[in-house]
Amino acid sequence: MDGKTNITLDGIIHHDNKTSIMGNMTSFACDKTGSVNNKTNFIGNKKRTNNILFYTAPAKEWKEGLPISNGRLAAMVWGERETDILTLNHEWLWRGVNRDRKAYEGAKYLPIVRELLVKKEYFKATSIANTFLGGEGGISKIKDRVDAYQVAGELVFKLDDVKEYVSRELDTSIGIARASRIAGERNVVVVSEFLANCVSNLLMSSWTSGAGGRFSGELTYRRVKDEHASYSYDLTGNNLVFYCRFDKGIEYKVLVEVFTDGSIHMMEKGFRINGATYINTTTNIATSVKDIEEELTKYCIAPGEFAAARDKHSARFKSLMSRVELELAEPEAREDAINSSNTSIITTDKLIERMRAGKAGNMIFKLYFDYGRYLLVSSSVCGELPANLQGKWNDSINPPWNCDYHLNINLQMNYWMAEPANMPECAESLVRYVKSFMRSGREAARRLYGCRGVYLPLNSDAWGISTPEAFGWAVWIGAAAWMAQHLWWRYRYSGDKNYLKDTAYEYFKAVAEFYEDYLVEDENGVMQIMPSQSPENKFAGTGHFPVSIGVSAAMDVQLAYDAFRYAIQSAEILGVDEDKVMKWKMLQSKLPPFKIGSDGRLLEWDEEKEEPEPGHRHMSHLYGLYPSDLFTPGKRPAQFKAAVKSLEERLSHGGGHTGWSRAWVACMFARIGDGERFYEHYSALIRDFATVTLLDLHPPGIFQIDGNLGGVAAVIEAIVSYHDDKVHLLKALPREWENGRISGIKVPGGHTVNVEWRQGKVSRLSVQIGYEGKVIIVKEGEEITVTGEKGQVIELVNES
């Protein structure tokens, strides 16, 4: 259709002098160039509505869709000119074929591997270690035993006689996606609305027309063909039930309930609906992990309660998202370009194009920040499991890497922001998941390594089972220690001693006990970690293996040091296990030193070795720089300097060439305090690794959520960094962000920090005191010690 379609998203659409109801959307006016008119921008004290992803064209594919989720249920909302498609997921929908797997007995081969390592026969050691300790999968050409996360199917609505596709959007502040089309001879505006209700715990969809217009279409359910599953459809009245059972696995059902004032007619896999002014649906999914029928009937929304249910969802979702607020003023050079004549706001895809051309302002950075928070809230708010490689979204029965949990960077990166971004509910789902491994992890530690304590695998699924499942990669004992960092953070941010006593300490103690048995004292009295690896990297001399097995790789040493620290400090806080504490301190003191090579770089392995891939995507040996704070100018200046040099060298050879790797680099430069290089890599994360809907990509174009979530952590680190038991403000603030504010940031001790800055200097600063009662803040080189009562808000700077 020709002409201009003005959408005022406060409820009215104007098209060809016709007016239609549009729902509760934010005010815009758009034309076919993709520009959206909005008079409110954040320049100084003005605000721009930039928490919305907005488009004037449909998604071309699934990964250009708009994700909604409440943690339990999820949907990617996409489609075509005439069609809305909801690709559906349930957090417990994993095939379930391998729920009872166990680790193989490999401990008796450990002495052989160690003997070869002492002799520096690394190829043989790597080969034997993988044969008996590395499981299947990987390069073995034998299928691993990790269950794949599954797509439940797709709910599809095809609207009749579409004349024009108008727009689609995702409001990240309230968790609602919408689309609008014009259809039929009377040019009826039909608005689609989708949300994963975080109160009612159901997926809600609606199609409505305004001004009494009527529309027709077909609502169907479909699932990709699966040779290893059986399924059936059952249509009764206005309900559709889809049933599926995986061969030797779990079962699930999907219930779609349809409410409409149109005439409804059953089809083979759905309904034909004619003459409607509205169609409302609820979708529930239930799996046999629990009782299917109980879960299917547990949640419901009455037909007359749709609006109230949506409002309750919006209010709760907004309360979670509004805990943290970031505003970034546009640089003056951008202000005139962005706010010229009609104060045009570009659609999100055009905004990304402008960024790639070097013409975008700061709105994209705030949008990406809010979107990352949105994705973690959506993945967790009503969920029991943490976000996997794709959060809670997946469109395949055979997804890349099984859409599983990788515990050698990806799962950890997903939750780096959870505590500082004031999302304790999200952190709790990760804690639950880690603790679910305790039984299997103890058994695996004994079977694989002959050790007490707990072992966690490099990769796993929903079932909390510790088995190595990636031949060539999986001979690694550091996952349990790395996950301990997140349990420690949960205590440091909350101060909950009951949690420390009843939940976390058991895990810290088990990790430390594993090291008690696993460490090997050499002839110099040094406690070596062997076998050891630097995750996913190799040194020369181990042939075709993608990862080299050696002795005391830098990351393993750093992880062990931190793991002992968590156990020691927890025991001292709780006043328990004095004899254990003495032993742990002794073992920690005898760990290998954090070595620096002859060229000034931090060594990745126990000695200088040839690197076949000097630009490797993993930065494992720099864990001590970030996310740990082992290496800082105050604690270990030599190692800090060496870590910075290692990072620069890695990047000079092309490192950071995946989305999550780029996010990690941005976090590290933020920790270092290099604002310009933080900005460079945070920009590259969006420019080089984002879909049009800002979903992070892993080469070759695979959606992987860790880059999105790691990007949020990088921004927080640049503005409110915490290390060396101090809050460091604006440590890596780029010059492009010279004016702005951030509020609601949590730091260890339970404190909440709110800071505003002008011309790169703090102009307002307040702290809400946490459980510790004292916090040290570093502002422009000056240390400020703040004390007060828990809950007290203390304003330290106010230059407004």
Side-chain angles (χ1 to χ4, degrees):
M1 298 180 70
D2 296 327
K4 182 175 180 180
T5 303
N6 290 325
I7 309 175
T8 58
L9 304 180
D10 53 354
I12 307 297
I13 292 184
H14 305 277
H15 181 84
D16 293 344
N17 297 318
K18 293 185 174 68
T19 303
S20 301
I21 299 300
M22 181 66 182
N24 243 343
M25 303 163 82
T26 311
S27 276
F28 289 109
C30 74
D31 57 32
K32 291 188 176 181
T33 67
S35 294
V36 183
N37 297 329
N38 188 325
K39 301 295 184 181
T40 56
N41 300 324
F42 173 65
I43 303 295
N45 290 324
K46 293 184 287 183
K47 291 185 178 180
R48 179 199 308 280
T49 304
N50 58 354
N51 53 5
I52 294 175
L53 283 71
F54 185 81
Y55 309 86
T56 54
K60 296 177 182 177
E61 54 184 325
W62 174 83
K63 65 186 177 185
E64 292 187 359
L66 300 171
I68 58 171
S69 177
N70 57 24
R72 186 179 77 92
L73 302 178
M76 187 69 80
V77 181
W78 60 296
E80 300 164 348
R81 186 174 179 271
E82 302 87 3
T83 307
D84 286 315
I85 302 173
L86 278 73
T87 303
L88 304 176
N89 298 104
H90 184 297
E91 65 171 344
W92 283 105
L93 189 55
W94 304 66
R95 291 195 81 92
V97 176
N98 298 299
R99 292 178 68 185
D100 298 322
R101 66 184 186 274
K102 293 183 181 294
Y104 300 124
E105 298 279 358
K108 65 181 180 181
Y109 301 99
L110 188 58
I112 300 172
V113 175
R114 287 174 168 166
E115 183 179 354
L116 290 168
L117 290 172
V118 170
K119 295 177 180 179
K120 298 189 177 183
E121 296 185 28
Y122 297 117
F123 174 74
K124 289 183 179 178
T126 299
S127 179
I128 292 175
N130 275 282
T131 299
F132 297 106
L133 303 172
E136 295 157 347
I139 62 171
S140 71
K141 297 184 179 180
I142 302 173
K143 178 71 175 74
D144 63 57
R145 297 179 296 165
V146 174
D147 277 331
Y149 188 52
Q150 294 294 287
V151 59
E154 292 182 333
L155 184 66
V156 182
F157 180 73
K158 186 173 183 180
L159 179 64
D160 289 356
D161 196 19
V162 172
K163 300 297 179 62
E164 181 181 351
Y165 187 95
V166 179
S167 67
R168 62 188 178 110
E169 69 168 47
L170 173 65
D171 188 335
T172 64
S173 68
I174 57 174
I176 294 180
R178 298 184 180 95
S180 62
R181 298 171 175 84
I182 297 172
E185 294 181 1
R186 297 183 58 194
N187 292 326
V188 174
V189 178
V190 179
V191 178
S192 316
E193 182 175 88
F194 311 98
L195 60 116
N197 197 299
C198 65
V199 178
S200 302
N201 219 334
L202 293 169
L203 294 171
M204 296 173 58
S205 307
S206 67
W207 293 265
T208 59
S209 65
R214 294 188 177 272
F215 63 94
S216 302
E218 294 181 356
L219 182 70
T220 56
Y221 186 87
R222 67 192 187 194
R223 188 179 188 276
V224 65
K225 184 177 180 181
D226 188 342
E227 295 180 354
H228 301 288
S230 56
Y231 42 85
S232 62
Y233 291 82
D234 181 16
L235 280 76
T236 306
N238 291 5
N239 294 348
L240 179 153
V241 177
F242 174 83
Y243 167 81
C244 180
R245 180 180 62 82
F246 299 125
D247 295 350
K248 300 180 180 179
I250 71 168
E251 307 168 46
Y252 73 94
K253 283 185 178 181
V254 179
L255 170 62
V256 181
E257 297 185 273
V258 183
F259 311 96
T260 179
D261 62 350
S263 61
I264 185 167
H265 309 277
M266 284 189 288
M267 303 165 55
E268 181 182 3
K269 298 180 180 179
F271 303 97
R272 172 77 194 176
I273 302 166
N274 295 321
T277 64
Y278 73 88
I279 302 170
N280 294 332
T281 74
T282 61
T283 301
N284 193 9
I285 307 171
T287 76
S288 59
V289 174
K290 300 179 181 179
D291 184 283
I292 288 183
E293 297 306 323
E294 180 180 341
E295 186 178 7
L296 209 60
T297 57
K298 183 177 181 181
Y299 310 104
C300 63
I301 299 173
E305 296 177 354
F306 256 63
R310 180 188 62 190
D311 291 345
K312 289 178 182 178
H313 159 83
S314 298
R316 185 183 181 205
F317 204 93
K318 187 173 184 178
S319 73
L320 296 170
M321 288 294 295
S322 63
R323 291 177 185 173
V324 168
E325 292 185 356
L326 171 69
E327 293 181 10
L328 298 172
E330 295 295 349
E332 291 184 8
R334 301 281 188 223
E335 184 173 335
D336 292 340
I338 293 176
N339 298 286
S340 60
S341 62
N342 63 355
T343 60
S344 171
I345 295 180
I346 200 81
T347 54
T348 305
D349 52 327
K350 297 296 183 182
L351 188 65
I352 297 170
E353 288 180 15
R354 286 192 178 185
M355 182 189 186
R356 288 169 179 162
K359 298 178 181 179
N362 286 334
M363 184 168 68
I364 187 68
F365 298 117
K366 172 184 163 48
L367 184 60
Y368 195 82
F369 176 83
D370 286 338
Y371 189 48
R373 294 190 303 120
Y374 166 83
L375 290 172
L376 190 58
V377 168
S378 297
S379 294
S380 307
V381 58
C382 295
E384 296 174 333
L385 292 171
N388 61 46
L389 284 176
Q390 295 182 176
K392 296 293 174 70
W393 299 275
N394 169 40
D395 67 334
S396 174
I397 60 173
N398 294 301
W401 302 288
N402 293 312
C403 200
D404 66 9
Y405 296 104
H406 270 49
L407 281 67
N408 66 347
I409 176 61
N410 313 94
L411 179 57
Q412 289 90 339
M413 182 178 287
N414 283 358
Y415 286 85
W416 284 348
M417 67 134 145
E419 299 288 0
N422 207 347
M423 298 178 177
E425 302 90 343
C426 300
E428 287 166 5
S429 67
L430 182 64
V431 170
R432 283 194 300 269
Y433 181 67
V434 172
K435 287 299 297 288
S436 74
F437 282 91
M438 287 299 294
R439 181 175 179 179
S440 175
R442 290 185 185 277
E443 181 181 33
R446 178 184 58 79
R447 283 173 168 257
L448 290 167
Y449 296 105
C451 296
R452 295 169 301 140
V454 65
Y455 157 87
L456 264 61
L458 181 143
N459 60 312
S460 194
D461 46 34
W463 314 127
I465 299 175
S466 287
T467 57
E469 299 292 342
F471 184 91
W473 282 274
V475 183
W476 184 52
I477 52 85
W482 199 346
M483 297 313 304
Q485 183 180 56
H486 289 264
L487 273 70
W488 177 244
W489 284 345
R490 181 82 287 270
Y491 169 70
R492 288 290 290 120
Y493 280 81
S494 70
D496 186 343
K497 288 187 179 180
N498 288 328
Y499 156 81
L500 186 64
K501 174 178 177 289
D502 299 334
T503 300
Y505 183 61
E506 176 195 25
Y507 184 76
F508 297 148
K509 185 175 180 178
V511 174
E513 285 178 342
F514 179 87
Y515 283 113
E516 287 182 43
D517 293 352
Y518 190 78
L519 295 173
V520 178
E521 188 169 9
D522 68 12
E523 65 275 10
N524 298 313
V526 177
M527 304 304 295
Q528 301 288 356
I529 300 172
M530 52 193 296
S532 174
Q533 65 156 279
S534 188
E536 302 203 26
N537 204 0
K538 66 184 295 183
F539 50 79
T542 55
H544 66 284
F545 286 98
V547 177
S548 300
I549 299 302
V551 177
S552 296
M555 182 184 216
D556 275 344
V557 176
Q558 295 164 28
L559 288 170
Y561 190 95
D562 272 353
F564 281 128
R565 178 163 61 95
Y566 309 143
I568 291 166
Q569 293 186 12
S570 297
E572 290 176 340
I573 291 168
L574 297 172
V576 298
D577 291 333
E578 290 184 14
D579 55 337
K580 285 284 190 182
V581 169
M582 291 179 62
K583 185 172 186 178
W584 294 336
K585 287 182 176 179
M586 180 272 293
L587 291 173
Q588 186 189 51
S589 70
K590 296 175 72 173
L591 287 170
F594 306 124
K595 295 180 180 179
I596 299 172
S598 60
D599 61 358
R601 288 186 295 152
L602 192 73
L603 288 186
E604 187 160 0
W605 294 280
D606 63 322
E607 59 186 17
E608 295 187 13
K609 299 181 187 295
E610 181 184 345
E611 302 172 65
E613 193 179 345
H616 199 274
R617 63 195 178 279
H618 280 256
M619 317 277 179
S620 302
H621 57 312
L622 304 184
Y623 159 89
L625 178 63
Y626 187 94
S628 180
D629 66 349
L630 286 171
F631 306 148
T632 68
K635 286 181 181 174
R636 295 178 179 87
Q639 281 78 13
F640 174 79
K641 183 178 178 180
V644 174
K645 186 166 185 178
S646 293
L647 176 58
E648 292 171 339
E649 181 72 10
R650 184 63 53 95
L651 293 173
S652 73
H653 291 279
H657 52 266
T658 69
W660 63 261
S661 184
R662 187 70 71 171
W664 196 356
V665 171
C667 288
M668 286 190 281
F669 277 123
R671 174 62 59 84
I672 291 165
D674 190 328
E676 298 318 307
R677 286 195 284 185
F678 151 73
Y679 182 83
E680 172 191 346
H681 293 284
Y682 183 61
S683 299
L685 176 62
I686 305 170
R687 183 185 64 241
D688 300 336
F689 299 100
T691 68
V692 296
T693 49
L694 295 178
L695 294 174
D696 176 62
L697 294 176
H698 185 291
I702 299 166
F703 165 46
Q704 202 166 293
I705 202 170
D706 37 24
N708 287 108
L709 308 184
V712 177
V715 172
I716 294 174
E717 184 68 28
I719 301 173
V720 182
S721 175
Y722 187 93
H723 58 82
D724 297 335
D725 298 321
K726 300 172 186 176
V727 178
H728 300 259
L729 296 178
L730 311 187
K731 183 177 177 181
L733 188 74
R735 61 177 179 269
E736 291 83 356
W737 297 0
E738 66 175 359
N739 298 316
R741 75 173 183 91
I742 197 166
S743 62
I745 298 301
K746 286 284 188 178
V747 297
H751 315 290
T752 306
V753 177
N754 310 295
V755 60
E756 185 172 339
W757 61 95
R758 290 294 177 265
Q759 286 77 53
K761 304 291 185 180
V762 174
S763 59
R764 297 190 69 179
L765 172 63
S766 66
V767 177
Q768 184 176 37
I769 299 298
Y771 68 89
E772 281 193 341
K774 175 183 174 181
V775 60
I776 299 174
I777 297 176
V778 181
K779 178 183 74 70
E780 297 156 21
E782 175 192 6
E783 282 194 10
I784 304 171
T785 300
V786 185
T787 59
E789 298 295 323
K790 182 179 179 181
Q792 183 181 0
V793 178
I794 299 176
E795 191 166 47
L796 301 170
V797 179
N798 189 348
E799 298 177 0
S800 59

